[in-house]
């Protein structure tokens, strides 16, 4: 029987390849769902790229209605509330294939199925769920989530929108302003946050615009003109003495900040998933163009500089898929464990995602960063044509940019992932202290000069990953010891630690995926090894920067020596040969 790791435990425990899930393991129902959504995207979305770029908001709404008719908006909603009641992996899969072709539709889909629906599912009363969820699940109404204000972004609890109880005690009267609200132009169901009277914390509310006693009490700014996602509706929302029944309070009073945070945890892994098919499509366009484009009498895909880009782009897709579906299945397994122990399914889903909040932040940062880089490299492969609106790369690059801002900026998420891990350790939920102390003793000991036996498939790669985990524990443990409770103020250090953490999780995910499903001579194994080499380089740079910034003298020398020991290959891979192997495979295949 498999053992479900706690969130963040990947750092201190070995994960057997048999314990991870990847795209190769989709069941027939999941494959049918994937294919039906992909066929819809290819038929209804791809041919209308120009309309999306010209701010055709009605087209986005029309596509959302059609997705609702297909059932694609209600995958995570239980059957008793009008949805399909499918598992978390299937929810992530649907987000993956529905989001890759167009950033405007991806934003509308993600906002509706995620933060527009899930707070009601997780925190709503039974009456609220029965009232709002069926219409949301079927696309009869669309959802919007009103949290951000002009002076309240990452610090969501500092919002100035106010709610007060009416004199008869039957209504809350809300006044205030929200901004950057996705789907605002065509949404009917609004989840919003306000402080009741002089409360310290925000409280959540839900309301249908169509049911307001005074429709003019809810008004909207003009559509925002944005760098990308041009046909996603983004407006300011104004509440002017907006009167809603007291039973529309969502969850508990003063609990809105927790609702907001937990909705964002789900949004982070779904944003990673939403970037995957975009990466695939950018890569496929790049390969096709490189094969078709002739210079000096040959296809530019024959040039080493272009092949290097294609190999690294393909490797990035493989790695991002590995991490995203690994975490999705971990969350699904945790949900199953909790429901088997008697927990209500919605509560179990909430707790399951919360358990893996560290991994959700890792994925959000790594995948959105890499998607932007992939789009940038796509433009470069297209050359001057890539800079033209007539080619697909220009819009893909602009659409990708928002991913690093959504669901908490990447900087905030980098700080969050390490911060959450430290807090879990301090609460005793995960033991980082024991392995960190063991590393201290290891650094004082004489290293073994025996050459390990790495004849088993991926054995050296897994041993190296185990050592990279020691790098994280060494650097973060020493930094914690020095700064203690002041560590949160050391943002430079936390960013370095986050880079190490992110690279470890993603590199391990790729290696385990390759080990489980592909043989040692496969292109997938080559991609896992190529990514690990790049990860070692990134971790070495981040760790060295951290060490020299807070350690001095003998401590610094000892830690730098440990860094060299823990990042050393016994048999360093031929990176050029790996790159060429990956490039040759996809150039010849013509697609990912």
């Amino acid at each position: 029987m498999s053992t479900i790791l706690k969130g963040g435990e990947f750092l201190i425990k070995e994960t057997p390849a048999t314990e991870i899930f990847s795209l190769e393991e989709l069941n027939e129902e999941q494959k049918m769902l994937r294919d039906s959504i992909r066929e819809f995207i290819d038929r209804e979305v791809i041919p209308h790229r120009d309309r999306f770029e010209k701010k055709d908001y009605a087209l986005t709404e029309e596509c959302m209605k059609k997705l609702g008719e297909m059932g694609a908006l209600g995958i995570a909603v239980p059957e008793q509330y009008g949805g399909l009641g499918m598992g978390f992996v299937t929810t992530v899969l649907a987000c993956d294939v529905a989001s890759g072709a167009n950033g405007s539709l991806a934003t509308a889909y993600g906002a509706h199925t995620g933060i527009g629906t899930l707070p009601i599912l997780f925190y709503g009363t039974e009456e609220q769920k029965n009232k709002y969820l069926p219409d949301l699940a079927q696309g009869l109404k669309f959802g919007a989530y009103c949290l951000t204000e002009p002076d309240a972004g990452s610090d969501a609890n500092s919002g100035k929108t106010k709610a007060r109880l009416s004199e008869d005690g039957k209504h809350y009267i809300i006044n205030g302003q929200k901004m950057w609200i996705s789907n605002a132009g065509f949404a009917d169901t609004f989840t919003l946050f306000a402080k009741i009277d002089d409360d310290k914390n925000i409280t959540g509310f839900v309301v249908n615009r169509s049911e307001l006693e005074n429709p003019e009490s809810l008004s909207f700014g003009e559509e925002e003109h944005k760098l990308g996602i041009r046909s996603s509706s983004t407006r300011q929302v104004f509440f002017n003495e907006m009167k809603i029944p007291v039973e529309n309070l969502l969850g508990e009073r003063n609990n809105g900040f927790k609702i907001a945070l937990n909705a964002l945890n789900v949004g982070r892994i779904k944003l990673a998933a939403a970037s995957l098919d975009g990466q695939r499509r950018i890569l496929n366009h790049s390969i096709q163009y490189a094969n078709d484009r002739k210079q000096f009498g040959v296809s530019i895909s024959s040039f080493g500089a272009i092949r290097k880009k294609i190999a690294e782009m393909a490797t990035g897709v493989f790695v991002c898929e590995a991490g995203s579906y690994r975490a999705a299945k971990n969350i699904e397994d945790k949900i199953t464990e909790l429901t088997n122990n008697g927990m209500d399914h919605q509560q179990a889903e909430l707790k399951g995602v919360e358990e893996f909040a560290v991994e959700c932040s890792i994925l959000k940062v790594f995948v959105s960063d890499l998607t932007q880089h992939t789009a940038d490299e796509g433009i470069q492969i297209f050359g001057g044509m890539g800079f033209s609106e007539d080619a697909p790369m220009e819009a893909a690059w602009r659409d990708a940019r928002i991913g690093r801002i959504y669901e908490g900026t990447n900087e905030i998420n980098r700080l969050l992932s390490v911060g959450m891990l430290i807090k879990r350790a301090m609460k005793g939920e995960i033991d980082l202290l024991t392995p960190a102390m063991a590393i201290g003793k290891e650094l004082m000991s004489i290293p073994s000069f025996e050459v390990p036996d790495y004849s088993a498939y991926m054995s050296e790669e897994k041993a190296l990953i185990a050592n990279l985990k020691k790098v994280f524990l060494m650097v973060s443990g020493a930094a914690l010891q020095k700064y203690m409770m002041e560590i949160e103020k050391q943002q430079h250090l936390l960013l370095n630690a986050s880079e190490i953490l992110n690279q470890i999780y993603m590199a391990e995910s790729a290696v385990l995926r390759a080990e489980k499903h592909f043989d040692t001579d496969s292109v997938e194994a080559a991609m896992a090894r190529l990514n690990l080499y790049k990860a070692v380089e990134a971790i070495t740079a981040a760790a060295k920067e951290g060490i020299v910034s807070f350690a001095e003298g003998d401590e610094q020398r000892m830690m730098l020596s440990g860094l060299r020991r823990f990042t050393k290959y016994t048999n360093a891979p031929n990176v050029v040969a790996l790159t060429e192997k990956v490039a040759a495979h996809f150039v010849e295949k013509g697609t990912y």
Side-chain angles (χ1 to χ4, degrees):
M1 182 177 176
S2 64
T3 303
I4 302 173
L5 291 183
K6 295 178 182 178
E9 269 194 334
F10 71 89
L11 259 180
I12 57 172
K13 292 187 178 180
E14 182 181 350
T15 303
T18 53
E19 297 297 298
I20 64 109
F21 177 88
S22 60
L23 275 171
E24 289 74 27
E25 299 168 71
L26 296 178
N27 60 36
E28 289 306 311
E29 182 182 48
Q30 289 168 330
K31 290 177 183 176
M32 287 175 62
L33 176 76
R34 175 197 65 192
D35 293 345
S36 66
I37 296 177
R38 183 166 287 155
E39 190 274 332
F40 168 82
I41 294 295
D42 288 341
R43 184 186 71 246
E44 300 283 350
V45 179
I46 294 289
H48 302 301
R49 182 169 64 88
D50 288 346
R51 290 177 61 188
F52 280 109
E53 289 309 302
K54 291 175 181 175
K55 304 177 183 178
D56 191 338
Y57 305 106
L59 176 60
T60 301
E61 184 178 1
E62 178 186 333
C63 288
M64 285 289 289
K65 287 178 179 176
K66 290 178 178 177
L67 284 167
E69 292 166 4
M70 292 173 60
L73 301 183
I75 290 168
V77 177
E79 291 181 73
Q80 66 262 39
Y81 305 123
L84 299 180
M86 294 183 170
F88 196 81
V89 170
T90 307
T91 300
V92 166
L93 176 66
C95 190
D96 175 347
V97 291
S99 305
N102 183 274
S104 298
L105 182 61
T107 295
Y109 181 87
H112 174 82
T113 59
I115 53 180
T117 299
L118 295 181
I120 303 169
L121 177 62
F122 291 159
Y123 292 97
T125 63
E126 199 61 29
E127 291 75 18
Q128 288 171 341
K129 292 175 186 176
N130 283 311
K131 177 178 180 179
Y132 297 107
L133 291 178
D135 285 347
L136 292 171
Q138 296 164 43
L140 300 176
K141 286 183 169 63
F142 296 110
Y145 177 85
C146 303
L147 177 64
T148 303
E149 298 184 15
D151 295 319
S154 299
D155 184 13
N157 228 8
S158 65
K160 296 177 181 177
T161 298
K162 290 285 190 177
R164 71 177 192 276
L165 197 62
S166 62
E167 290 185 5
D168 61 9
K170 295 181 179 180
H171 295 84
Y172 283 106
I173 300 168
I174 299 175
N175 287 279
Q177 172 187 1
K178 302 291 181 177
M179 66 187 304
W180 307 121
I181 307 306
S182 296
N183 295 353
F186 59 85
D188 191 74
T189 303
F190 288 80
T191 300
L192 60 112
F193 297 87
K195 286 184 178 177
I196 301 174
D197 299 330
D198 294 319
D199 285 356
K200 180 180 179 181
N201 299 311
I202 53 176
T203 296
F205 301 87
V206 59
V207 63
N208 276 341
R209 173 173 22 177
S210 55
E211 296 177 354
L212 290 172
E213 288 184 15
N214 177 14
E216 294 181 1
S217 65
L218 178 63
S219 59
F220 303 87
E222 294 297 316
E223 291 286 357
E224 299 286 352
H225 300 291
K226 307 179 294 291
L227 173 70
I229 56 169
R230 288 181 169 175
S231 284
S232 69
S233 176
T234 312
R235 294 185 172 193
Q236 292 192 60
V237 179
F238 301 95
F239 312 109
N240 182 20
E241 294 289 292
M242 187 177 78
K243 190 176 176 183
I244 63 172
V246 290
E247 55 265 27
N248 286 34
L249 189 148
L250 187 63
E252 298 174 0
R253 181 169 175 169
N254 267 307
N255 204 36
F257 191 60
K258 186 174 182 179
I259 294 174
L261 287 182
N262 284 323
L264 290 174
N265 284 334
V266 183
R268 283 164 186 149
I269 187 171
K270 289 185 70 177
L271 188 139
S275 302
L276 295 177
D277 207 46
Q279 286 188 17
R280 296 186 199 105
R281 290 176 183 272
I282 291 166
L283 173 59
N284 289 342
H285 281 304
S286 300
I287 295 169
Q288 182 180 345
Y289 185 83
N291 281 337
D292 292 344
R293 173 73 167 166
K294 300 288 195 299
Q295 290 290 282
F296 307 104
V298 295
S299 298
I300 65 171
S301 62
S302 65
F303 300 146
I306 299 296
R307 294 169 81 83
K308 183 175 187 289
K309 291 183 187 300
I310 289 172
E312 291 179 351
M313 292 161 75
T315 296
V317 179
F318 181 80
V319 173
C320 290
E321 289 174 341
S324 298
Y325 283 94
R326 174 191 184 183
K329 188 61 162 63
N330 285 154
I331 291 169
E332 184 172 289
D333 288 345
K334 186 65 180 180
I335 294 167
T336 301
E337 178 191 77
L338 293 171
T339 52
N340 287 344
N341 290 333
M343 187 177 285
D344 168 78
H345 182 83
Q346 277 76 63
Q347 187 67 14
E349 186 162 344
L350 186 62
K351 292 295 183 184
V353 175
E354 192 175 356
E355 176 67 36
F356 291 93
V358 170
E359 286 81 352
C360 290
S361 281
I362 289 171
L363 286 163
K364 191 273 178 185
V365 171
F366 191 96
V367 181
S368 64
D369 273 351
L370 200 53
T371 301
Q372 180 82 66
H373 180 68
T374 301
D376 196 72
E377 291 288 67
I379 290 178
Q380 203 68 13
I381 289 172
F382 271 66
M385 182 57 71
F387 206 68
S388 168
E389 289 186 358
D390 293 333
M393 289 302 162
E394 178 264 352
W397 185 88
R398 287 187 289 98
D399 283 352
R401 187 60 185 85
I402 191 63
R404 292 160 59 195
I405 299 171
Y406 272 162
E407 314 297 351
T409 65
N410 281 9
E411 291 72 25
I412 288 291
N413 273 281
R414 283 180 179 275
L415 299 174
L416 267 177
S417 59
V418 179
M420 287 188 290
L421 195 62
I422 292 171
K423 285 177 181 175
R424 298 202 74 186
M426 289 181 170
K427 290 179 181 178
E429 295 173 0
I430 177 173
D431 181 14
L432 298 182
L433 181 61
T434 302
M437 291 177 65
I439 291 163
K441 292 179 182 178
E442 185 176 348
L443 290 175
M444 299 295 291
S445 66
I446 299 172
S448 171
F449 294 101
E450 290 185 18
V451 179
D453 178 10
Y454 288 135
S455 56
Y457 178 34
M458 287 294 179
S459 56
E460 179 166 10
E461 288 78 8
K462 290 194 291 184
L464 184 55
I465 289 168
N467 278 339
L468 296 178
K469 295 176 184 180
K470 293 178 182 178
V471 173
F472 178 86
L473 292 167
M474 175 182 72
V475 176
S476 59
L480 261 176
Q481 193 171 16
K482 177 169 184 175
Y483 294 107
M484 302 300 287
M485 301 308 293
E486 297 291 303
I487 190 68
E488 288 186 358
K489 297 179 181 179
Q490 305 300 318
Q491 291 196 353
H492 285 89
L493 268 178
L494 292 175
L495 291 173
N496 287 325
S498 169
E499 179 65 13
I500 300 169
L501 186 68
N502 293 2
Q503 294 288 348
I504 289 169
Y505 184 75
M506 301 305 289
E508 182 178 63
S509 299
V511 165
L512 294 176
R513 180 185 182 187
E515 181 189 3
K516 185 173 184 180
H517 295 289
F518 305 97
D519 63 47
T520 189
D521 294 323
S522 65
V523 69
E524 291 81 7
M527 289 191 286
R529 290 175 176 130
L530 181 60
N531 176 73
L532 178 58
Y533 182 86
K534 303 286 186 182
V536 170
E537 295 300 302
I539 287 170
T540 300
K544 186 175 181 180
E545 185 176 299
I547 290 167
V548 299
S549 70
F550 73 84
E552 298 176 344
D554 289 343
E555 182 190 24
Q556 183 187 100
R557 285 189 287 274
M558 183 177 69
M559 291 178 70
L560 289 174
S561 174
L563 177 62
R564 289 190 292 272
R565 184 195 303 189
F566 295 144
T567 55
K568 182 181 178 182
Y569 274 95
T570 300
N571 304 291
N574 184 332
V575 178
V576 173
L578 290 175
T579 301
E580 177 54 32
K581 180 169 186 166
V582 176
H585 174 84
F586 290 109
V587 166
E588 181 179 348
K589 185 180 177 185
T591 185
Y592 178 74

